[in-house]
Amino acid sequence: MTSPVTTPKETFLADYKQPDFLIDNVNLHFDLDPQHTKVISTLSVHKNPNTETADCVLDGEQLELVSVKINGRLLQGNEYLRTDKQLLISAVPEQFDLEIVTIIHPDKNTALEGLYYSGSLLCTQCEAEGFRRITYYPDRPDVMAVFTVTIAADKAAWPIMLANGNLAEQGVFEDGRHWVRWHDPHPKPSYLFALVAGDLYVQQDSFTTMSGREVKLEIFVDHENSHKCDHALMSLKQAMLWDEKTYGREYDLDVFMIVAVNDFNMGAMENKGLNIFNAACVLASPETATDNDYYTIQSIVGHEYFHNWSGNRVTCRDWFQLSLKEGFTVLRDQQFSSDLNSAAVQRIADVNQLRSMQFAEDAGPMAHPVRPASFIEISNFYTVTIYEKGAEVVGMIKTIVGAEGFRKGTDLYFKRHDGQAVTTDDFVTAIEDATKVDLTQFRRWYSQAGTPVVAVKTHYDHAKEVFSLTLSQTCPATPDQAEKQPFHIPVALGLLDADGNAMPLQLKGENLAALSNTIVLSLTEAEQTFTFVNVESSPVPSLLRGFSAPVRLDAIRTSSELAFLMANDSDSFNRWDAGQQLFINVLLGLVSAMKKDVELAVPHILVEQIESVLEDADTDPALVAKMLSIPSENYLAAQMQPADVDAIHRAREFLKTTLAKKFKKQFSAIYQYLNEQKKAYAFNADDMAKRSLKNTCLSFLMASNDPMQTQRCLKQMKDADNMTDLLAGLSLMADQKGPEAEHALRAFYEQWQHDRQVVDKWLTVQALSKQSDTLLRVKGLMKHPAFSMKNPNNVRAVIGQFCRNNPINFHAKDGSGYAFLAEQIIVLDKLNPQVASRQLGAFNSWQQYDADRQAMIKKALNNIASQKGLSPDVYEVVTKYLAAGE
Ligand SMILES: [Zn+2]
């Protein structure tokens, strides 16, 4: 196999060493120009007393070096050594001032790391290792310094110039150029550095903190988006207040700024005082953004804001500790969304994502622990494991020590480590010290990859009124680890009697029953039996309530037991979960019936349950909409070995159509009722729930194959005053063939072609169409003027959605989907390695398909691997995928 020019090196956690040199102050001076920006960096450097080396090594990539001075003396070329990644200066004093001048070219930067040009904007992205593309620097998170940044540029072209911290000074040169100076008093690592310049609209507001300080809030966007800032500003104020109330965290600068950028690799970035956002994660108006967009914006604005403490004030020692800031901050944003909206809906969404994406990652070639032991390219580790499983791990700590103990623990953590770069272990130790709970075994969640499987056996002794529950745990081997030690798994549990009432929970050896209807068992051994006494009748256990641990439950539950839990469990999450498991049982049954050529039928027990779910439409529309959502084809594929893509698709369609026809009257009545209730768009949990249920009903009605329903769908689109209803209609139309669908798509584009966020939605609905010619359409869209390979949002909307969320077409029998993805990866890798590597993730579960498909995917992977000069990003992933097939 051809490797990149030099084979990329692997970095190991075990090799961590303290930095040899530390920086107290950084003075940066930028002469901005998209083609040719000059950067003068002046560092006050001192040697780390704990280390030996006298060589000062700085990171730097794709830089033109102009000069190096130590204490004002210009160094000659033979006084330092330069490679394509580093600058090495030997025999430096214990303490010195270092001045480095470099030239960079933002307009040539398509990787979107460092300083780059987006539209008419200059902006930065430095996490994880982008700062080294701006100047030579010890670009690692454990070097924290105080930054002062001066920016100079032509005033007409760059009226707004921003950096971290507070605005210190500004002025105008004689030649008409202007300059600004920003000072950030809080020491920070280079990955949190940010700069933005451009002609932008600003919307302002303010927030008074818990100690009475007034903070200026500013959102900067393109002028054409000036009407789309209200929601993000409101979300920011909600987040600031929530963090004070929930975690006692107060904001610490005079100003908090958010900038919307069109070309951005990630969702958003928490740079100190100057958050930079993917425009799609900040801009919203009812006509252009869906409920889902509103929800996501609120959550991401919260997430980035919360980083001010969990990430910025206390940061990571090294990138293996990435989950220190991300796992904890995701948990914080999940709590925030849950408190502001519906707790049940939030938990269901979180678990859905975890199961469909993180479990797949854990089961695939890229499996890694929440704290990985090694990596080639850190950008590949911004994963669902680090983020979502990391959040589950912190959430389990909270479950184990209780909410009050957790708050004590986080208070101690912030106090003890403010201004430091620390490890996940330091976090756990702080919680232990504050609560005196021993989390030694629990720490295995950070070092062991893989999804544990918890098997359940129960026994009820009627004469003694004793119920025993035997739980055993195993964890499948992952490429990095064959053997796993038992985890500490918190299992939340309740017991229900035959009428569905909660039963008292008294463990053997305890004098009294628990006060609550749910208790948390600690499963710490490979196998453990929990015995409950005074259990008057045979109970139905409700296990893993609220999904108390990120595990797979291996419990043999009959359809009638699942139906019983679906109807009676007091834990909303488990009601939903029982329904999902029932759906899965039914769908897998349909798949095997198809193979045996037996006539397909939907079991009566499911029909009955759906009927009673529909009766609750009035009382809990949000949960009903969730309960009616059939598990995705991808999730079903993960339940089968080998996954039969075509049968899964047909089974799912059959089930949906059958239910749609059977309950057409109910769906129609609920739809009509909710549609008549419609009022002016507002983003709140109630209205959102109603729109969600209404559009779920519409999707069933459309599945009934009744032409009248198409008219209903078109009417909804015509009458819609918000993007949620309009887009729901359009995606249903895009699944259909014929002139009406084509006309709807054309009309939508004509109306919205001026709006990038809406055009991305238009691209997505087409990439997700179930029509068999979708790949052709996708290829056509990539030639459309609205599409650019250089724009990550476009790439995700078309290539990403098609390959990840359109399984029936991506996994087409002829392998055309696979060949398509390989071609795109090869092109993208030259432009933007991070985005290329991310798209490659669509091949993650390649070994779960049949032999023919595996052979075709392997060919596609080999095609990518044989390219000359692959980026470390793509090299690492493609190598691991191929190694898994050997
Ligand atoms: Zn984050």
Side-chain angles (χ1 to χ4, degrees):
M1 185 168 111
T2 318
S3 49
V5 188
T6 49
T7 307
K9 272 219 313 264
E10 199 163 2
T11 308
F12 294 89
L13 168 61
D15 294 342
Y16 173 82
K17 284 198 192 76
Q18 285 187 27
D20 292 318
F21 288 86
L22 301 169
I23 317 275
D24 302 306
N25 290 292
V26 181
N27 263 286
L28 293 171
H29 180 102
F30 287 84
D31 269 319
L32 281 188
D33 182 292
Q35 284 86 39
H36 188 274
T37 289
K38 183 169 157 191
V39 186
I40 307 169
S41 159
T42 313
L43 312 174
S44 47
V45 188
H46 73 267
K47 206 181 153 324
N48 182 348
N50 304 327
T51 63
E52 297 296 316
T53 321
D55 292 344
C56 180
V57 181
L58 304 170
D59 304 296
E61 285 175 26
Q62 302 183 5
L63 299 171
E64 272 176 38
L65 179 62
V66 177
S67 62
V68 185
K69 282 183 190 168
I70 285 190
N71 293 331
R73 185 179 74 83
L74 184 71
L75 300 195
Q76 300 305 307
N78 58 4
E79 291 180 88
Y80 54 82
L81 188 74
R82 256 179 97 196
T83 68
D84 58 347
K85 288 189 168 13
Q86 285 176 331
L87 176 70
L88 185 147
I89 315 169
S90 309
V92 293
E94 294 278 306
Q95 195 157 353
F96 58 100
D97 285 340
L98 177 62
E99 186 203 272
I100 298 174
V101 181
T102 50
I103 302 289
I104 50 178
H105 307 281
D107 63 332
K108 303 244 161 56
N109 183 350
T110 58
L112 313 185
E113 292 174 82
L115 179 68
Y116 65 93
Y117 199 36
S118 167
S120 56
L121 206 68
L122 278 165
C123 63
T124 54
Q125 170 57 35
C126 292
E127 185 178 1
E129 298 181 335
F131 192 71
R132 63 188 62 185
R133 292 165 184 244
I134 294 173
T135 182
Y136 287 100
Y137 195 81
D139 191 13
R140 43 188 287 170
D142 54 355
V143 174
M144 296 174 86
V146 172
F147 279 65
T148 305
V149 179
T150 308
I151 314 168
D154 176 65
K155 188 164 186 173
W158 313 99
I160 304 245
M161 301 191 293
L162 313 171
N164 317 81
N166 300 317
L167 182 62
E169 282 178 90
Q170 54 188 324
V172 181
F173 296 119
E174 277 177 10
D175 63 0
R177 290 190 317 145
H178 69 148
W179 62 272
V180 294
R181 181 164 300 139
W182 291 84
H183 177 72
D184 180 2
H186 302 280
K188 66 167 176 286
S190 49
Y191 83 86
L192 288 172
F193 165 80
L195 179 155
V196 172
D199 181 4
L200 293 162
Y201 167 84
V202 56
Q203 185 160 329
Q204 295 180 319
D205 205 332
S206 71
F207 179 82
T208 308
T209 69
M210 58 206 269
S211 70
R213 277 189 317 104
E214 177 135 325
V215 177
K216 190 158 69 166
L217 311 178
E218 296 185 318
I219 300 201
F220 296 86
V221 301
D222 287 339
H223 289 279
E224 72 212 40
N225 293 321
S226 60
H227 60 295
K228 293 188 183 177
C229 302
D230 293 348
H231 178 60
L233 257 179
M234 168 65 88
S235 305
L236 177 58
K237 288 189 284 184
Q238 287 169 326
M240 295 177 90
L241 185 65
W242 184 89
D243 210 20
E244 290 184 349
K245 286 193 168 155
T246 317
Y247 283 90
R249 300 295 110 202
E250 185 178 3
Y251 187 62
D252 50 11
L253 290 165
D254 302 338
V255 58
F256 188 93
M257 299 173 281
I258 289 178
V259 183
V261 172
N262 288 322
D263 304 283
F264 204 69
N265 283 349
M266 315 200 186
M269 178 61 210
E270 70 261 24
N271 318 297
K272 183 79 186 186
L274 177 57
N275 286 190
I276 299 183
F277 271 62
N278 187 327
C281 300
V282 66
L283 301 173
S285 71
E287 311 77 51
T288 59
T290 61
D291 285 339
N292 202 21
D293 295 329
Y294 271 81
Y295 200 92
T296 309
I297 289 167
Q298 187 183 55
S299 139
I300 298 184
V301 168
H303 179 100
E304 306 308 333
Y305 174 74
F306 302 146
H307 269 315
N308 189 54
W309 276 93
S310 50
N312 301 2
R313 290 284 288 252
V314 184
T315 194
C316 306
R317 187 193 73 175
D318 53 73
W319 291 120
F320 297 101
Q321 320 295 332
L322 180 56
S323 198
L324 172 82
K325 72 177 180 83
E326 294 307 341
F328 184 26
T329 306
V330 169
L331 178 84
R332 276 148 64 66
D333 83 52
Q334 291 174 349
Q335 283 179 283
F336 170 62
S337 297
S338 178
D339 288 351
L340 263 60
N341 302 293
S342 147
V345 168
Q346 177 67 29
R347 192 63 190 140
I348 289 168
D350 292 339
V351 175
N352 241 340
Q353 190 189 8
L354 190 83
R355 279 181 177 159
S356 58
M357 296 174 69
Q358 200 280 324
F359 282 16
E361 188 163 271
D362 253 349
M366 281 291 287
H368 55 275
V370 169
R371 185 191 58 222
S374 73
F375 58 73
I376 288 178
E377 173 51 62
I378 182 58
S379 301
N380 284 330
F381 286 81
Y382 284 73
T383 60
V384 276
T385 299
I386 302 293
Y387 280 66
E388 271 70 26
K389 186 174 179 180
E392 293 297 320
V393 169
V394 181
M396 284 190 286
I397 295 180
K398 184 168 175 253
T399 303
I400 292 168
V401 303
E404 219 175 291
F406 187 68
R407 171 63 197 270
K408 272 192 210 153
T410 57
D411 281 354
L412 177 62
Y413 166 72
F414 288 126
K415 193 172 157 214
R416 184 183 275 176
H417 297 297
D418 191 9
Q420 297 178 1
V422 301
T423 63
T424 53
D425 215 39
D426 293 322
F427 177 80
V428 179
T429 304
I431 312 272
E432 280 179 320
D433 290 350
T435 59
K436 309 293 172 224
V437 175
D438 182 356
L439 296 168
T440 311
Q441 184 184 355
F442 185 85
R443 282 178 168 80
R444 287 178 188 155
W445 282 105
Y446 285 99
S447 58
Q448 296 190 139
T451 307
V453 179
V454 174
V456 184
K457 269 188 273 173
T458 59
H459 177 76
Y460 179 65
D461 185 328
H462 187 71
K464 294 186 182 149
E465 297 192 336
V466 165
F467 174 71
S468 53
L469 176 73
T470 302
L471 301 177
S472 56
Q473 56 165 313
T474 51
C475 183
T478 47
D480 57 331
Q481 295 161 327
E483 298 287 328
K484 316 275 176 177
Q485 301 296 310
F487 291 85
H488 176 175
I489 303 174
V491 180
L493 158 121
L495 298 178
L496 276 67
D497 71 14
D499 298 324
N501 302 311
M503 300 174 85
L505 300 161
Q506 184 177 359
L507 279 165
K508 192 177 161 187
E510 309 223 323
N511 296 327
L512 286 169
L515 291 173
S516 155
N517 292 330
T518 302
I519 58 166
V520 180
L521 306 172
S522 276
L523 172 62
T524 53
E525 289 159 35
E527 183 173 297
Q528 241 169 303
T529 298
F530 300 89
T531 308
F532 294 86
V533 295
N534 298 326
V535 184
E536 288 176 1
S537 59
S538 179
V540 176
S542 163
L543 284 157
L544 213 65
R545 281 189 159 170
F547 203 64
S548 60
V551 300
R552 281 180 207 274
L553 206 54
D554 178 14
I556 299 164
R557 290 180 295 185
T558 60
S559 292
S560 59
E561 208 168 282
L562 290 167
F564 175 82
L565 288 169
M566 197 177 167
N568 296 298
D569 204 323
S570 60
D571 185 87
S572 311
F573 175 83
N574 268 14
R575 279 188 64 197
W576 168 81
D577 198 29
Q580 293 292 295
Q581 194 54 53
L582 185 57
F583 269 132
I584 290 170
N585 289 358
V586 166
L587 285 159
L588 295 181
L590 289 171
V591 167
S592 71
M594 251 175 235
K595 288 199 174 131
K596 290 180 206 141
D597 246 345
V598 185
E599 202 188 328
L600 302 183
V602 175
H604 188 61
I605 194 156
L606 178 68
V607 174
E608 246 175 31
Q609 283 312 308
I610 298 295
E611 185 159 22
S612 62
V613 165
L614 286 168
E615 281 162 15
D616 286 342
D618 239 7
T619 49
D620 196 351
L623 192 63
V624 169
K626 291 283 174 203
M627 301 219 32
L628 290 172
S629 44
I630 304 175
S632 71
E633 290 175 30
N634 282 335
Y635 188 59
L636 288 161
Q639 320 298 318
M640 270 182 94
Q641 191 68 38
D644 188 334
V645 185
D646 308 287
I648 289 172
H649 180 73
R650 274 171 52 213
R652 207 175 168 280
E653 295 290 297
F654 172 80
L655 174 62
K656 190 155 187 186
T657 304
T658 309
L659 294 177
K661 287 181 175 159
K662 204 152 246 157
F663 296 110
K664 197 162 154 191
K665 232 172 74 191
Q666 287 94 322
F667 284 125
S668 196
I670 299 170
Y671 177 87
Q672 221 161 336
Y673 168 74
L674 292 169
N675 206 37
E676 279 161 12
Q677 283 205 326
K678 214 173 84 173
K679 44 187 188 219
Y681 181 90
F683 172 71
N684 59 55
D686 258 10
D687 289 3
M688 215 164 28
K690 286 178 183 155
R691 280 188 290 269
S692 153
L693 180 57
K694 182 181 81 176
N695 288 316
T696 303
C697 291
L698 183 63
S699 100
F700 274 98
L701 289 165
M702 288 289 276
S704 69
N705 301 327
D706 163 8
M708 289 295 290
Q709 305 306 332
T710 305
Q711 295 316 310
R712 181 179 248 163
C713 181
L714 289 169
K715 181 161 184 343
Q716 167 164 324
M717 290 181 66
K718 193 165 148 271
D719 296 348
D721 66 348
N722 66 78
M723 184 49 73
T724 308
D725 286 344
L726 179 58
L727 193 70
L730 187 70
S731 16
L732 291 167
M733 290 306 297
D735 276 338
Q736 300 207 334
K737 230 187 178 68
E740 278 167 324
E742 293 308 321
H743 179 259
L745 284 163
R746 231 183 359 257
F748 186 91
Y749 180 74
E750 268 159 32
Q751 190 183 350
W752 292 107
Q753 52 182 306
H754 60 281
D755 188 304
R756 305 176 74 116
Q757 278 77 48
V758 181
V759 169
D760 280 335
K761 297 179 199 309
W762 175 77
L763 294 169
T764 294
V765 295
Q766 296 176 80
L768 289 180
S769 168
K770 287 183 251 171
Q771 289 296 318
S772 56
D773 60 353
T774 297
L775 180 56
L776 259 178
R777 187 180 279 268
V778 159
K779 289 179 176 170
L781 288 173
M782 290 174 63
K783 296 196 186 95
H784 194 280
F787 180 89
S788 161
M789 269 303 239
K790 288 185 184 165
N791 179 267
N793 287 358
N794 283 171
V795 170
R796 287 185 278 255
V798 179
I799 302 169
Q801 293 290 352
F802 176 79
C803 298
R804 280 175 189 267
N805 297 323
N806 196 341
I808 189 65
N809 283 310
F810 176 57
H811 295 285
K813 260 198 186 73
D814 61 0
S816 52
Y818 308 146
F820 166 76
L821 179 56
E823 272 167 44
Q824 305 320 316
I825 301 285
I826 293 165
V827 175
L828 274 170
D829 195 36
K830 301 266 183 259
L831 293 170
N832 188 330
Q834 273 186 28
V835 171
S837 168
R838 205 37 85 99
Q839 298 313 315
L840 190 48
F843 283 136
N844 175 71
S845 303
W846 70 281
Q847 287 174 294
Q848 83 188 11
Y849 299 96
D850 55 75
D852 285 352
R853 284 185 168 93
Q854 284 196 35
M856 290 186 290
I857 298 177
K858 198 167 174 182
K859 194 174 146 202
L861 289 170
N862 275 316
N863 179 17
I864 298 170
S866 68
Q867 300 300 312
K868 286 209 176 77
L870 277 186
S871 68
D873 309 60
V874 167
Y875 171 82
E876 178 172 32
V877 177
V878 82
T879 311
K880 285 188 178 165
Y881 284 179
L882 281 168
E886 274 157 16

